[in-house]
Amino acid sequence: MVLHPADPLTSLAHGIGSQHDLPISPFYAFAGAFAALFVSFLALGLLWSTSRFRGERSGSALPVALQRVADAPATRTALRGLGLAAALAVLLYLLLGPDDPAHNPAPGAVYVLLWVGLVPASLLLGPVWRLLNPLRTLHRLLSRALRRPEPEPGPEPGSGPASDPDRAPDAAPARGHHPLPARLGQWPAAVGLFGFTWLELVAPEPASTTTLLIAITAYATAQLLLAARFGERWFDDGDAFEAYSTLLARLSPLGRRSDGRLVLRNPFHGLDATPERPGLVATVCVLLGSTAYDGFSDNPSWINVLQTSPLGRTPTATLGLLASVALVATLYCLCAAATRLVSGPHPGPLTAFAHSLVPIALGYLIAHYFSLFVVEGPRTVSMALGTDSAPEPLPPLGPGGLAALQVIAVVTGHVLGVVAAHDRSVRLFPPAKAVAGQLPLLALMITYTIGGIGLLLN
C-alpha cells in the first residue's frame, strides 16, 4: 500500500491521505459486489411483494424520562453553548494561531471533526447540528437582542433526539420575516455543500488560516442575512451542514414519530420518511460526486492533467468537480426516466427514489473518510488541548482490514439502497411492474458500484 506523505496540509487538502493498490483482488471485489446486488434484488423480487416501511409512523417509544432529559431546556442550552464555544475557539485559532496545519488545530476541526465527525454523530444521535449550529444560536441571540423573538425549530418527522420539540415544522414565520418559497427546497444546501467541497478539494490552499477565515466569514454573513430575512427556519434547508446532518440522521436508529415521541426504530423507516423536496436529488448527488472526485483527484493521470492544463490548476479542478457531480446526477436522472418508461407515469420520478441514494452516499463517506477520522481526529483534539507533542496515533486497521472495510461499506450501501428502492417501488407501482421498474435502478447501482470500487482500487 502506498500512502501519501504524512503532511497534514497534503492530507487536509484532499480530505484524506488516499490509499492505492489496496491488497485485495479486483476480481473478488467486483464479483462479491455483483453477487450481493443480484442476490438481494432476486430475493426482494420473490419475497417482498408489499411495502413494509412506515416512515414517521414507526418506532418503539423510549422511556419518558429519557425524552424529558433530551428535550429539557437545560440540555439544549448546554448544546447550543457548546457549539458556540467551539466555533469561537476555532476562530481564535485562525486569528491568533500559526498558519501551519501541523501546529494549528483549526483546519482539522473544520475538515475532520466537523465534516467527517458529523457522520457518526448524526447516525448515533440524529440531526445534532440543529442544536450545535453556532449560526443558528447567534441568530437567536441577535433576534432576542433586537426584540424579534424566534419560535423554536420543531422536529422533522423521523428526526432524532437532537431535534427541538417546541414548534411544528409548518409553523408560520415570525413577524417581520418572509416565508420561504416552497420551490427553493434544499437547493441552498446543495449549493453550500458544493461550495464546501470546492474549498476542501479545489481551493489552492484549503488549510490556510487566511482561506478558512475568508470562507467562514463569507458563509456566516450570508447565512445570518438570509436568516434575518426568512427567519430561523432558513437553517433547516439553507445551512449546508444542517441539511447534511439531517440527511444522514435518516439512517439513525433513534428518531421521533410524527407525534413527537422519541423512539427506537428500524433505520429504514427513518429513511422512508425523507421528504421528497426540490433540491434533494442535487444534495445527494453533490455528496456522491464530490466524494468520487476526492477519490479520483489523487490519480496520477488526473494530476498530470492538472499540471499541464492551459486553464490552470484551479479552473481545471473546478471543472473536474462539476463534471463528477454532473455525471452522478445524469446517471440518476436517466435511471428515473427509464423507471417511469417501464413502470408507468409518476408525478415525481426524480424525488421518489432519491432517498435510496442516501445509504450509498453513507457507504462512500465511510469508505473514503474512515482512516482520516480515526487518525487525524485524535491528533486534532490533542493539538487543541495543547498536547500536540504526543506520538502520532496509529491506524486501527492494517492495509487488509482497511481494504475489506472500504469494499464492505460501498457494497453494503448499495444493497441498502436496493432495499429502500424496492420497498418504494412496490408501494408506487402495480405488482406486475414493480420489479421490472427496478431494473434501471439495479443497473444504476451496478454502475455506481463499479465506479466506487474502482476508485478504491484505483
Side-chain angles (χ1 to χ4, degrees), residues 263-357:
V263 296
L264 192 65
R265 67 186 180 188
N266 180 340
F268 277 115
H269 293 300
L271 183 63
D272 186 68
T274 304
E276 298 179 25
R277 309 189 60 194
L280 173 62
V281 174
T283 301
V284 182
C285 288
V286 167
L287 286 177
L288 286 171
S290 60
T291 306
Y293 177 79
D294 194 359
F296 181 72
S297 62
D298 290 321
N299 188 286
S301 61
W302 179 245
I303 294 175
N304 183 60
V305 169
L306 293 178
Q307 293 175 342
T308 59
S309 173
L311 297 176
R313 178 199 172 277
T314 301
T316 304
T318 302
L319 291 176
L321 179 60
L322 281 169
S324 181
V325 174
L327 177 61
V328 170
T330 300
L331 290 174
Y332 177 76
C333 291
L334 291 174
C335 170
T339 299
R340 186 172 185 175
L341 182 65
V342 173
S343 298
H346 184 271
L350 281 178
T351 55
F353 295 95
H355 70 299
S356 66
L357 299 182

Side-chain angles (χ1 to χ4, degrees), residues 61-72 75 261-262:
L62 291 173
V64 175
L66 181 61
Q67 178 157 351
R68 287 176 179 170
V69 172
D71 294 343
T75 301
R261 284 301 305 272
L262 192 62

Side-chain angles (χ1 to χ4, degrees), residues 95-334:
L95 289 170
L96 305 176
D99 192 7
D100 180 5
H103 300 92
N104 191 328
V110 173
Y111 293 121
V112 181
L113 299 183
L114 173 60
W115 177 242
V116 185
L118 273 180
V119 176
S122 301
L123 289 177
L124 292 174
L125 301 174
V128 292
W129 196 244
R130 286 170 61 84
L131 288 177
L132 293 173
N133 188 354
L135 296 180
R136 187 188 280 269
T137 302
L138 186 58
H139 168 77
R140 182 172 296 185
L141 293 175
L142 291 173
S143 296
R144 290 177 179 174
L146 298 175
R147 297 182 179 179
R148 295 174 62 183
E150 285 275 4
E152 293 282 335
E156 293 187 33
S159 58
S163 302
D164 274 319
D166 307 316
R167 180 175 68 89
D170 56 352
R175 184 178 59 184
H177 292 143
H178 295 75
L180 276 168
R183 65 180 180 276
L184 198 61
Q186 288 190 328
W187 279 105
V191 173
L193 284 173
F194 182 85
F196 179 82
T197 54
W198 182 91
L199 176 69
E200 180 194 15
L201 305 174
V202 176
E205 296 181 353
S208 164
T209 55
T210 302
T211 301
L212 282 173
L213 276 172
I214 293 174
I216 290 174
T217 301
Y219 184 78
T221 302
Q223 289 289 312
L224 291 174
L225 289 176
L226 288 165
R229 177 177 177 81
F230 295 111
E232 190 171 340
R233 287 206 63 200
W234 163 261
F235 295 106
D236 293 344
D237 292 317
D239 184 88
F241 300 100
E242 281 205 17
Y244 170 60
S245 175
T246 301
L247 198 59
L248 294 173
R250 293 290 170 185
L251 287 167
S252 173
L254 290 176
R256 289 184 187 270
R257 287 197 309 240
S258 54
D259 60 2
R261 284 301 305 272
L262 192 62
V263 296
L264 192 65
R265 67 186 180 188
N266 180 340
F268 277 115
H269 293 300
L271 183 63
D272 186 68
T274 304
E276 298 179 25
R277 309 189 60 194
L280 173 62
V281 174
T283 301
V284 182
C285 288
V286 167
L287 286 177
L288 286 171
S290 60
T291 306
Y293 177 79
D294 194 359
F296 181 72
S297 62
D298 290 321
N299 188 286
S301 61
W302 179 245
I303 294 175
N304 183 60
V305 169
L306 293 178
Q307 293 175 342
T308 59
S309 173
L311 297 176
R313 178 199 172 277
T314 301
T316 304
T318 302
L319 291 176
L321 179 60
L322 281 169
S324 181
V325 174
L327 177 61
V328 170
T330 300
L331 290 174
Y332 177 76
C333 291
L334 291 174

Side-chain angles (χ1 to χ4, degrees), residues 36-84:
L37 288 173
F38 277 115
V39 169
S40 60
F41 177 78
L42 293 175
L44 291 169
L46 294 173
L47 304 175
W48 198 307
S49 57
T50 59
S51 176
R52 303 183 184 184
F53 301 147
R54 294 176 288 119
E56 63 202 55
R57 303 187 304 275
S58 68
S60 301
L62 291 173
V64 175
L66 181 61
Q67 178 157 351
R68 287 176 179 170
V69 172
D71 294 343
T75 301
R76 297 175 178 277
T77 300
L79 290 174
R80 293 187 186 108
L82 177 63
L84 190 59

